[in-house]
Amino acid sequence: MSPIFHLHNIKKLSMILPTLLISPTSLAKPQLDIDTDETSSVDVIDYEQNQSENTSKFILDPVTVTGYGFLYNKYNIPGSVDIITSNQIDEANIKTLDDLKAKVAGLTFQNNNAAGDSFIFIRGIGDFVDEYGKSTQVLIDGIPLENVEMRNILLQDEVKSIEILKGPQNVLYGPYAKAGAIDIKTKVPTKSGGSVCLGIGNDKQKNAYFNYNHVFNPYLTLGGSFNIDTDDGWLTSVPNRKKYGGKNYRDYALKAIIMPTENTAITLRYLKANRRLDGPVLVTYDIKENKFYSHKLPIPNNPFIQPVGREINFYEFGTLTDPITISKSDLFSMLIEHQFNSNISLESKTSYSEQDRYRITDASGSDYKWNPFRIMLTYEDTIFQRSFFQDIRLKGDYEKYKWILGGSVQKTTNNLDRIGMVLPLNSGFKGKNYSSGVYGQLQLTPIEQFELNLGARYQKDRSNYNPKLAESPFFLAPTLAKLVTLYKEKFLGVYDKENILDHTFVYSAIATWKINSFNHLYISHAKSYKPGGYSLGFFPGSYEKETGKTDELGYKGRLLNDRLFISSAIFQTKYKDMQQYDPATQLINNIATVKYKGYEIQGYFAITPALALGATYTKIKSDIKEFKGDQSLIGKKHPYFPHYTGAVSLTYQKEFPIGKIRLYTDYNFWGDQYSDYQNNYKIKPIRLLNASATWSKKNHEVKIWSNNLQNKKYITSAYSLSGMEGAAYGRGRTYGIDYRYKF
């Protein structure tokens, strides 16, 4: 959901909200998701004049969503489900999912201090390394996007809405949805047309977008698009004074919609995402002194690298190169929807994806090009991933109940090659993950005021892995392999297994009481899990399955004659054998018991027909209850996510003789966060202001935008590794102008 109404006294507000009542709305019936090209937004307010009563009325748009497998009106859906519409994407200058941070309550993005896109965290729960499996499943029209580069596709005119489901979603979405799911819904046009967009900005930013859909007849539609977003970098290397940190995104898509009968729709899609990312650049950082250095390595009396390098300025770094990631991802998918009769329908989703990714990282912090330590501490890895996915489900829709019965299978293979880093060894592994499950979802409405959603899934997951260290060309490879095995077993307590097999049963339950049709309370309980597997570090090892239980109590309501929409929730999750990535060993460890709890509130208020206010606020507390190994960590706060986030937005839009004017601004804030388990390093809070102004008339639109308007200097993440302290810079002020023409 977009930023919403925020009051300072949140606790008191959450207590009085259920007492506010208003009038009814109706549920949408399940149907094939065929929509017009014009997409409405929950943030657009229509102003109707009732001639008979001579009164005015604000009406929030009805928006249909697919949460929990059934179609709902957005305002009546139970549980924590937020919607971002195409209008909101445009007005807030959202280009990738990463731009949603703080604009959706409980949604943040973190980087793993290596080259690549950011990773999704929902209510403090997420992962830093994609190959270990995800905590949030991201989909496009229900088709999983398997890698982080593909999940951060560029968002433009093809997107109808983004559904964010918070809390465990394992029942419908499988093993990698313990934190939630994000489904990107695309438009299904009913007439031929398209758009073209060109933009420029500072740091030599350039973007271009084109899409076109041709409706041949009611039975066949073909479409395609491409999207390019580049810049030349924004950070300066101290040794050579060159700019680094740039990006080059190129996305391509083809889509065919075939309707052989009036009850059947087949959607074929090809999606390609090419990425070159320079960064984030890591810089040596003294968190306590808030100072940056060209390097700071614990290697005394070294003629090449001194323990502390010279101090540098913000947006500078000391190495000659920064981390570089080059990836190519391809996705082929087929969605079949068939309506047998007015009650029974079928959905079949099939996809095959590939990713080829190359990454090089210089971890030395050295200013000297031929420094031997720099050579030893520079490493590169290549990952080739293939994934096949199939999901089939039957759906029933009746007056008092609805149901889903389905099953899914998925097979993923990873091939990792790594060379460098301390020893010149060619290491890596080959791994395979198999998962299959059967599931069911049931919605019961015994009376008009009460609704019950029940779901269950039985899942089988298997991982196997084959280390490739013995394939090293060096004659000492067998001895080194034995030493690595000894180190893993004696010091890390990790023992290789040929296969890891998990059998898991998960469930979910949501009970909803409709105070009236515009206000409802819900309570939910769910069991979640994430399967075990193998780490991809320099000393690979296995990790076990984790499980969790989540409880949530929430309220949603439309108030003040539809001028105010409020959504609030309190939640708690307790994980057992929680998996956590350790940057020091590059292993996934099971760290015993961690408890999360918090609350969130978000809302939207139409001040006038032309002016609207939105706000979000989320606060999360996490405590380590048990820890395998270092007992001193018990009672510490879990690191790597901000303890509170929020945003306030203001939108003004009105028609004038010269055209439609829309002014938008949002103020986003992230609280402090720890960057280590010992809670020694804390990143300071962040406050950013963004703004845009848009003029449109007929088919033309011009938008001027700026992010981080105050040019705040901040860091996005920090780490401490073997005596080295480092951080990644946050982006400074960016601005630009875009022109769009629709035809």
Side-chain angles (χ1 to χ4, degrees):
M1 174 83 200
S2 69
I4 47 176
F5 188 64
H6 169 53
L7 296 177
H8 294 292
N9 200 335
I10 294 172
K11 295 183 179 179
K12 291 184 179 179
L13 179 63
S14 63
M15 295 174 63
I16 65 171
L17 285 177
T19 65
L20 303 174
L21 311 176
I22 57 176
S23 57
T25 188
S26 60
L27 294 176
K29 287 184 68 69
Q31 58 185 358
L32 296 178
D33 192 15
I34 307 297
D35 298 284
T36 63
D37 187 50
E38 298 298 323
T39 303
S40 61
S41 165
V42 299
D43 277 358
V44 175
I45 305 298
D46 293 329
Y47 185 68
E48 285 192 351
Q49 184 74 28
N50 189 321
Q51 299 293 339
S52 61
E53 298 180 5
N54 195 28
T55 59
S56 300
K57 184 179 181 181
F58 290 86
I59 298 177
L60 287 163
D61 279 344
V63 176
T64 302
V65 298
T66 324
Y68 310 108
F70 307 112
L71 295 185
Y72 286 89
N73 178 287
K74 180 250 178 290
Y75 305 103
N76 280 0
I77 187 169
S80 293
V81 181
D82 294 333
I83 310 299
I84 301 295
T85 65
S86 58
N87 285 357
Q88 293 171 291
I89 291 171
D90 182 55
E91 69 186 15
N93 200 40
I94 296 169
K95 295 185 176 180
T96 68
L97 292 181
D98 194 5
D99 295 325
L100 292 175
K101 56 180 177 285
K103 295 179 173 65
V104 175
L107 182 65
T108 57
F109 293 79
Q110 296 289 329
N111 207 288
N112 66 350
N113 290 313
D117 284 292
S118 297
F119 294 85
I120 299 168
F121 280 64
I122 293 181
R123 293 174 173 174
I125 301 166
D127 303 281
F128 282 112
V129 183
D130 204 45
E131 289 75 25
Y132 301 144
K134 306 168 287 292
S135 292
T136 299
Q137 183 66 274
V138 180
L139 312 101
I140 182 166
D141 293 328
I143 303 294
L145 300 176
E146 293 303 328
N147 57 71
V148 65
E149 288 85 5
M150 184 70 78
R151 292 198 299 274
N152 276 307
I153 60 173
L154 298 170
L155 304 175
Q156 287 286 0
D157 289 348
E158 282 293 291
V159 176
K160 168 190 170 186
S161 63
I162 303 171
E163 298 181 10
I164 300 103
L165 291 84
K166 293 176 284 188
Q169 306 296 326
N170 294 113
V171 170
L172 288 181
Y173 298 105
Y176 300 119
K178 71 169 187 177
I182 299 176
D183 198 354
I184 302 168
K185 301 291 187 179
T186 61
K187 299 175 184 177
V188 181
T190 57
K191 61 181 180 180
S192 299
S195 64
V196 60
C197 179
L198 300 172
I200 57 173
N202 63 328
D203 298 326
K204 298 184 179 179
Q205 295 183 71
K206 306 179 194 69
N207 64 81
Y209 172 76
F210 173 83
N211 85 294
Y212 178 73
N213 294 287
H214 190 83
V215 180
F216 290 90
N217 51 52
Y219 311 106
L220 177 63
T221 299
L222 298 178
S225 65
F226 72 85
N227 203 337
I228 300 173
D229 189 9
T230 68
D231 68 60
D232 287 354
W234 51 286
L235 298 169
T236 302
S237 170
V238 173
N240 58 23
R241 307 309 297 176
K242 291 183 178 180
K243 289 286 186 180
Y244 291 89
K247 69 175 184 295
N248 190 325
Y249 287 7
R250 296 174 185 267
D251 292 347
Y252 309 87
L254 296 173
K255 184 166 69 172
I257 303 172
I258 305 167
M259 296 191 68
T261 72
E262 63 179 7
N263 295 324
T264 305
I266 302 173
T267 303
L268 304 174
R269 184 193 308 275
Y270 169 67
L271 182 63
K272 186 177 186 66
N274 290 344
R275 296 283 188 271
R276 178 188 170 95
L277 286 166
D278 300 341
V281 173
L282 303 184
V283 61
T284 302
Y285 177 49
D286 190 316
I287 298 179
K288 295 180 180 179
E289 296 182 7
N290 193 29
K291 292 182 179 179
F292 299 88
Y293 298 92
S294 58
H295 54 258
K296 185 179 179 182
L297 293 179
I299 307 176
N301 303 318
N302 184 282
F304 298 101
I305 306 177
Q306 298 302 319
V308 177
R310 65 176 178 270
E311 188 174 344
I312 58 177
N313 298 319
F314 212 91
Y315 299 139
E316 291 183 339
F317 66 105
T319 58
L320 290 164
T321 61
D322 60 344
I324 296 173
T325 297
I326 300 173
S327 70
K328 297 180 180 179
S329 303
D330 298 270
L331 171 72
F332 305 85
S333 68
M334 177 173 65
L335 169 64
I336 301 175
E337 300 169 280
H338 180 73
Q339 196 81 30
F340 292 104
N341 52 48
S342 60
N343 301 114
I344 307 297
S345 63
L346 170 74
E347 285 186 7
S348 173
K349 301 169 184 176
T350 308
S351 69
Y352 173 79
S353 62
E354 289 186 351
Q355 184 197 32
D356 191 356
R357 186 178 71 197
Y358 168 79
R359 175 181 295 167
I360 182 170
T361 302
D362 176 7
S364 69
S366 171
D367 297 347
Y368 300 93
K369 185 175 182 179
W370 302 111
N371 177 10
F373 285 96
R374 180 176 183 269
I375 297 172
M376 292 171 60
L377 292 174
T378 299
Y379 69 94
E380 50 190 87
D381 57 46
T382 302
I383 294 177
F384 180 68
Q385 182 190 75
R386 292 176 294 177
S387 182
F388 170 80
F389 170 81
Q390 175 69 63
D391 180 276
I392 299 176
R393 63 179 63 170
L394 279 172
K395 303 171 70 173
D397 176 22
Y398 297 89
E399 183 178 357
K400 295 292 185 180
Y401 64 94
K402 301 175 184 179
W403 54 264
I404 296 174
L405 291 175
S408 65
V409 295
Q410 186 168 2
K411 177 183 177 181
T412 302
T413 61
N414 288 294
N415 193 330
L416 169 68
D417 288 295
R418 174 174 284 145
I419 187 168
M421 196 67 176
V422 182
L423 293 174
L425 295 178
N426 180 19
S427 63
F429 87 107
K430 296 179 181 178
K432 295 181 180 180
N433 299 310
Y434 305 87
S435 67
S436 59
V438 292
Y439 58 88
Q441 189 89 4
L442 178 64
Q443 180 194 105
L444 299 173
T445 312
I447 59 175
E448 185 178 354
Q449 292 78 24
F450 182 77
E451 180 179 298
L452 182 64
N453 281 273
L454 302 172
R457 183 184 189 100
Y458 173 74
Q459 183 76 15
K460 182 179 178 181
D461 300 283
R462 180 163 61 91
S463 299
N464 63 42
Y465 123 112
N466 179 27
K468 297 170 64 175
L469 183 61
E471 298 178 8
S472 171
F474 295 94
F475 67 93
L476 292 177
T479 302
L480 290 171
K482 292 180 181 179
L483 292 174
V484 169
T485 301
L486 181 65
Y487 172 78
K488 288 162 53 181
E489 294 179 354
K490 298 298 184 183
F491 294 95
L492 302 181
V494 175
Y495 299 85
D496 289 342
K497 297 180 181 178
E498 185 178 357
N499 289 285
I500 292 179
L501 181 62
D502 293 323
H503 296 268
T504 309
F505 177 77
V506 293
Y507 56 84
S508 64
I510 305 175
T512 305
W513 173 46
K514 301 176 183 178
I515 305 171
N516 62 28
S517 295
F518 274 34
N519 295 263
H520 67 260
L521 292 167
Y522 68 88
I523 185 170
S524 67
H525 175 76
K527 179 182 178 181
S528 61
Y529 91 106
K530 188 178 174 186
Y534 291 92
S535 299
L536 309 184
F538 300 110
F539 305 105
S542 63
Y543 53 92
E544 303 300 324
K545 175 180 70 176
E546 70 170 60
T547 58
K549 291 185 178 180
T550 300
D551 298 291
E552 182 173 335
L553 175 65
Y555 162 79
K556 291 184 179 180
R558 298 167 64 177
L559 314 170
L560 303 180
N561 198 23
D562 278 2
R563 296 175 63 177
L564 174 63
F565 174 72
I566 288 286
S567 175
S568 59
I570 56 175
F571 48 86
Q572 174 179 287
T573 299
K574 187 175 182 180
Y575 287 107
K576 183 179 179 182
D577 295 323
M578 186 177 185
Q579 299 167 8
Q580 183 61 53
Y581 177 69
D582 183 357
T585 61
Q586 297 201 359
L587 290 174
I588 290 286
N589 298 314
N590 295 95
I591 61 171
T593 304
V594 180
K595 186 176 182 180
Y596 293 80
K597 60 181 179 180
Y599 63 88
E600 65 186 29
I601 183 168
Q602 52 188 4
Y604 182 85
F605 180 58
I607 302 171
T608 71
L611 185 64
L613 174 70
T616 68
Y617 184 81
T618 304
K619 188 169 184 178
I620 303 171
K621 180 181 178 182
S622 67
D623 294 305
I624 299 174
K625 299 297 183 181
E626 299 176 21
F627 200 94
K628 295 179 180 179
D630 190 351
Q631 298 298 305
S632 66
L633 299 182
I634 296 176
K636 299 291 187 179
K637 306 300 181 185
H638 199 269
Y640 307 130
F641 69 91
H643 299 129
Y644 63 88
T645 60
V648 178
S649 71
L650 197 63
T651 305
Y652 174 83
Q653 53 185 352
K654 192 173 182 179
E655 290 282 355
F656 293 92
I658 61 171
K660 183 178 180 180
I661 301 295
R662 183 177 66 215
L663 305 177
Y664 174 83
T665 184
D666 63 55
Y667 180 74
N668 304 311
F669 51 91
W670 299 265
D672 53 15
Q673 61 175 311
Y674 290 108
S675 58
D676 68 321
Y677 280 99
Q678 292 76 20
N679 295 175
N680 293 325
Y681 305 101
K682 182 185 288 188
I683 299 175
K684 294 182 177 180
I686 303 169
R687 308 283 188 269
L688 299 180
L689 179 66
N690 309 310
S692 67
T694 305
W695 166 87
S696 60
K697 188 173 185 179
K698 295 183 178 180
N699 298 335
H700 302 272
E701 179 183 283
V702 176
K703 178 170 65 176
I704 301 173
W705 58 270
S706 178
N707 294 328
N708 190 3
L709 203 58
Q710 326 98 298
N711 199 24
K712 284 286 188 71
K713 296 180 179 180
Y714 64 99
I715 61 173
T716 58
S717 58
Y719 70 94
S720 176
L721 175 60
S722 301
M724 299 171 59
E725 300 172 10
Y729 294 120
R731 186 106 191 215
R733 181 191 297 124
T734 57
Y735 52 86
I737 182 171
D738 297 334
Y739 167 75
R740 177 183 285 114
Y741 175 75
K742 294 184 178 181
F743 55 91

